Amino acid sequence: MSRGQLRIYLGAAPGVGKTYAMLEEAQRRRDRGTDVAVGFVETHGRQHTLEMIGDLELIDRRTIEYRGATFTEMDVDAILARRPEVVLVDELAHTNVPGCRNAKRWQDINELLDAGIHVLSTLNIQHLESLNDVVQTITGVPQRETVPDEVVRRAEQVELIDMTPEALRRRMAHGNVYRPEKIDAALGNYFRVGNLTALRELALLWLADKVDEQLDRYRADHRIDATWEARERVVVALTGGPEGDTLIRRAARIADRARGADLLAVHVSRNDGLAGADPALLAKQRILVESMGGTYHQVIGTDVPGALLDFARGVNATQLVLGASRRGRFAQIFSRGVGVTTTAESGAIDVHLVTHAEARRGRLAQPSATSALSTRRLLAGYALAVLGLPLLALVLYQFSDLNLGTDILLFLAAVVAVALVGGMWPAILAAIGGSALLNYFFVPPIRQWTIAERENLLALAVFVVVAIAVSATVDKAARRTREAAQAGAEAQTLATVAGSILRGDRPLTALLDRLQETFGLESVTLLEARDDAPHSPDRRQEMSMWRVVATVGGQPCFAPGEADTDVPVSENLTLVLRGRPLAAADRRILEAFASQAALALRQERLAEQAAAAQPLAEADRMRTALLAAVSHDLRTPLASAKAAVDSLASNEVDFDEADRTELLATAAESLNRLNRLVENLLDMSRLQAGVLGVSRRAMGLEEVVPHALDELGTAGREVRMRIPADLPAVRADPGLLERVLVNVIGNALRYSPPDRPPLVKASEHAGRVELRIVDHGPGIPEAEWDRVFLPFQRAGDRSNDTGVGLGLALARGLSEAMDGTLTPESTPGGGLTMVLSLPTAQAPDRVPEALPAGRTAS
């Protein structure tokens, strides 16, 4: 059975017409003879959507009882039994009621697709998992229901239902989206023009990325190598030379001119790992590319133009930026160079050859070739050439019966031995000296520097050429071996450097430790020029112009002039080393360490800035939550009280005594609720500021609990009490304890079912009195227990929630201020029990830990 196809109608916000478009498509398919059924469609009371359903077949929903309420969900089994060709399933991100087979509706849809049924569904951009936090930042509204991006990306078709913010707001104003009483609040909050514009851009960009993925997949499946200029992509080629900064900035300007263009930087490394670029410069250029919004890539290949074009075609690049050749005119006669070759073979890709200050100045300086062999081996090679060849000639001269060909072969073997020991130059000396000895001792006329026969002259010439060629080959192999070993060691060291940055809380210190260990140094210090330090020639020597950013080892250097070796990282940063001068061959890897040190410092400072901004962000979040909550919860009791008072003051209606009593009771209840809200806010502000006054004395719980119930308006009718008469007195502040009980018992009343009122019971244990407030409501999962004590948090998403979510947070803070604790427990049979523990009057006082200003005890 082939899998069904999923088509998703994606919108930037509710009300753009996703469900309507889905129903239109269903009607079209039904008219063409397709078997279409409606599995689940939510009209939200919109008349036009209801009319569009028309006579489409509706599959009955499943009814589920959960916590005393009745819900309807899509019946997956009924759809599978009916097996239509196409089924409509609205709201892809919906979370199913517990008791359904799957937790999420998209999982239900996967079952239908696996059964071969095609599905039409809808989704808003804010429900995508990857954009959830971005949408919350823009709108201030968290989205609890999300869908993994991969689920949507796997859909065969995603159609964007687009609408301008102004058009959507007009639809709302006309009552086509929400009921009239919700329109003003929606237009002033979530559906502001700025919010809708940002959400629309998110939807367009996300869909553009999906279309881009589909295009790449199509090109790969059909083996299309030609560039399709559907989207501008600018690739800049980096050699690791100093001209890289110029090329990157030029490529960034080209990308900026084409809005939405991608910027990619690529460096082609030789696959033998020997002809490497400057790693320090590449590290700096990578940071520059990423700071401009681009990405950095590295590929390996022997043919640099071919590897570069393969990469550009692979990413569907439209423009390629190269630097002008650094080689001189004479060198370009023998080889066209990378730039010219790439331009000739680029095809549809536009190539920009950018001039720069390094053009025609020659290649980058490579490590000195003389360092391939040690001094000891060079001396041994020269000694073997000077002493060994005359000795060989003397020995062969004693055996005069050997012919000239044999003598030449033996001398050639000696030259090869010299090359193996000392390299090319001792071998060349041996070849020239050997030819002279052969001429004097073995070529007629003997013991003369003349050659009588042309065959002997040719043999000596071939001997010299072969000897030099063999010695050069042997020397090159030795150098390559040494370079490969050095490259391997550098690669391993640089990999360790990168790992030092990725691991640990202090990557900069770890990196300096690694540098000190690698080169056996006494100390390694990163210095930064002070802000007021002038750029004078004496700055290197003045300690007052520098400050130590980080140091490891022994005595640090306080100025670059004190160091044995210093490596400038930037205009104001310098890495200084003490212990011993380092060889010039180590400079490249030192510069790589220096670049990584700058990156690690930047990373640490960004982490510090983020940590410093965290309290501000938290305070802003709290302030936003407070304003959002208070704007609603202050308005509700004020509106009720005002409506009651205005009605009583009106002369247009003559109220009887019962109506007047009811209106007065409504006003009193609303004002009491408003008073409790204000008291909670004031107590929380005092508690966070650390200025809450606590006056503890001995008192009985039977004195305080009834007062709390009276303030709640229960008068004991809706709360059961079980407080033993012999319960010892507690030591607490009466006013604060009453505030704690009002909040905790009020919370229990709010969530208790009518037939099972809360229970307040007390007991004494180990010098403390425990007061348990037991409710049999929906309860809270244990994983959420700590969260309910945070300010402005509410348990779940229930419509009967009231208040700003300060009750339990304030109750715990006040309890701890009285040397008590407030902890949650699960109620047997379902529900939540809050345990308030207070010291008895006879228990010794326990000194509470001081709380920092601005923090709430929790």
Side-chain angles (χ1 to χ4, degrees), residues 830-848:
L832 186 70
T833 297
M834 284 292 179
V835 182
L836 173 63
S837 176
L838 294 169
T840 61
Q842 293 78 19
D845 286 346
R846 178 163 56 91
V847 179

Side-chain angles (χ1 to χ4, degrees), residues 5 66 75 194 258 312 317-318 329 386 460 465 472 480 504 542 567 607 673 687 696 735 785 832 834:
Q5 294 188 354
Y66 179 68
D75 194 336
T318 56
R329 293 180 181 273
V386 172
L460 288 176
V465 172
R480 287 295 190 182
E542 292 293 334
V567 182
R673 181 176 162 193
L687 196 60
R696 293 189 292 170
W785 282 358
L832 186 70
M834 284 292 179

Side-chain angles (χ1 to χ4, degrees), residues 163-232:
M163 180 175 289
T164 64
E166 294 77 11
L168 179 55
R169 287 170 60 86
R170 282 197 300 271
R171 286 196 64 191
M172 294 192 64
H174 294 159
N176 294 328
V177 179
Y178 288 150
R179 293 191 298 271
E181 62 271 16
K182 292 186 176 182
I183 293 176
D184 291 339
L187 291 175
N189 292 281
Y190 191 89
F191 288 85
R192 295 193 299 268
V193 173
N195 289 355
L196 295 177
T197 302
L199 292 173
R200 187 185 185 203
E201 183 176 13
L202 283 177
L204 291 169
L205 290 175
W206 191 92
L207 189 60
D209 286 340
K210 175 174 171 56
V211 172
D212 199 41
E213 289 178 3
Q214 290 176 326
L215 179 60
D216 289 342
R217 188 163 55 248
Y218 179 85
R219 284 164 45 86
D221 292 343
H222 291 77
R223 303 182 186 276
I224 298 174
D225 296 328
T227 299
W228 287 6
E229 299 184 16
R231 182 174 182 175
E232 288 289 335

Side-chain angles (χ1 to χ4, degrees), residues 107-434:
Q107 295 171 327
D108 294 338
I109 290 176
N110 272 338
E111 285 196 38
L112 301 178
L113 295 173
D114 290 339
I117 301 173
H118 302 313
V119 178
L120 306 181
S121 189
T122 63
L123 180 71
N124 283 328
I125 193 67
Q126 66 263 28
H127 295 298
L128 283 170
E129 183 67 45
S130 64
L131 300 177
N132 184 259
D133 55 341
V134 179
V135 173
Q136 181 174 353
T137 301
I138 294 171
T139 64
V141 179
Q143 302 293 331
R144 295 183 177 86
E145 296 182 323
T146 59
V147 177
D149 288 46
E150 185 59 28
V151 173
V152 186
R153 292 188 186 279
R154 286 201 305 263
E156 282 72 20
Q157 298 180 63
V158 178
E159 181 177 342
L160 180 66
I161 307 301
D162 192 25
M163 180 175 289
T164 64
E166 294 77 11
L168 179 55
R169 287 170 60 86
R170 282 197 300 271
R171 286 196 64 191
M172 294 192 64
H174 294 159
N176 294 328
V177 179
Y178 288 150
R179 293 191 298 271
E181 62 271 16
K182 292 186 176 182
I183 293 176
D184 291 339
L187 291 175
N189 292 281
Y190 191 89
F191 288 85
R192 295 193 299 268
V193 173
N195 289 355
L196 295 177
T197 302
L199 292 173
R200 187 185 185 203
E201 183 176 13
L202 283 177
L204 291 169
L205 290 175
W206 191 92
L207 189 60
D209 286 340
K210 175 174 171 56
V211 172
D212 199 41
E213 289 178 3
Q214 290 176 326
L215 179 60
D216 289 342
R217 188 163 55 248
Y218 179 85
R219 284 164 45 86
D221 292 343
H222 291 77
R223 303 182 186 276
I224 298 174
D225 296 328
T227 299
W228 287 6
E229 299 184 16
R231 182 174 182 175
E232 288 289 335
R233 284 186 176 84
V234 181
V235 173
V236 53
L238 302 179
T239 64
E243 76 280 359
D245 292 357
T246 302
L247 301 182
I248 292 170
R249 292 188 173 92
R250 179 62 181 273
R253 290 195 296 271
I254 294 174
D256 287 340
R257 294 191 189 106
R259 291 187 176 273
D262 295 334
L263 174 64
L264 302 91
V266 60
H267 170 69
V268 180
S269 299
R270 288 279 301 274
N271 58 6
D272 57 11
L274 300 177
D278 189 336
L281 285 175
L282 281 178
K284 293 177 182 177
Q285 290 163 11
R286 177 173 189 165
I287 295 174
L288 179 60
V289 168
E290 293 174 349
S291 69
M292 293 184 174
T295 57
Y296 177 85
H297 307 267
Q298 190 159 334
V299 297
I300 297 176
T302 303
D303 179 17
V304 175
L308 186 59
L309 288 173
D310 287 343
F311 173 82
R313 294 186 181 112
V315 298
N316 199 25
T318 56
Q319 302 190 59
L320 184 59
V321 178
L322 300 171
S325 176
R326 293 194 304 267
R327 300 180 306 144
R329 293 180 181 273
F330 183 76
Q332 295 182 30
I333 295 175
F334 298 96
S335 174
R336 295 190 301 174
V338 173
V340 176
T341 304
T342 304
T343 303
E345 299 176 359
S346 62
I349 302 177
D350 297 335
V351 179
H352 304 264
L353 278 177
V354 179
T355 59
H356 50 84
E358 302 297 323
R360 294 183 180 176
R361 288 191 177 183
R363 292 185 179 274
L364 291 175
Q366 299 296 326
S368 175
T370 59
S371 62
L373 297 175
S374 65
T375 303
R376 179 179 297 180
R377 287 187 61 179
L378 287 173
L379 292 176
Y382 282 118
L384 184 61
V386 172
L387 301 176
L389 288 179
L391 182 60
L392 176 62
L394 182 60
V395 172
L396 292 178
Y397 187 72
Q398 301 300 323
F399 299 94
S400 56
D401 56 335
L402 297 177
N403 59 34
L404 180 61
T406 302
D407 294 333
I408 291 176
L409 288 177
L410 291 174
F411 268 85
L412 182 61
V415 171
V416 172
V418 172
L420 290 173
V421 173
M424 183 173 65
W425 293 111
I428 292 175
L429 176 63
I432 296 173

Side-chain angles (χ1 to χ4, degrees), residues 36-54:
V36 179
V38 176
F40 189 98
V41 166
E42 185 60 68
T43 64
H44 296 288
R46 298 166 189 167
Q47 185 61 32
H48 296 298
T49 305
L50 185 61
E51 293 172 355
M52 181 54 66
I53 294 178

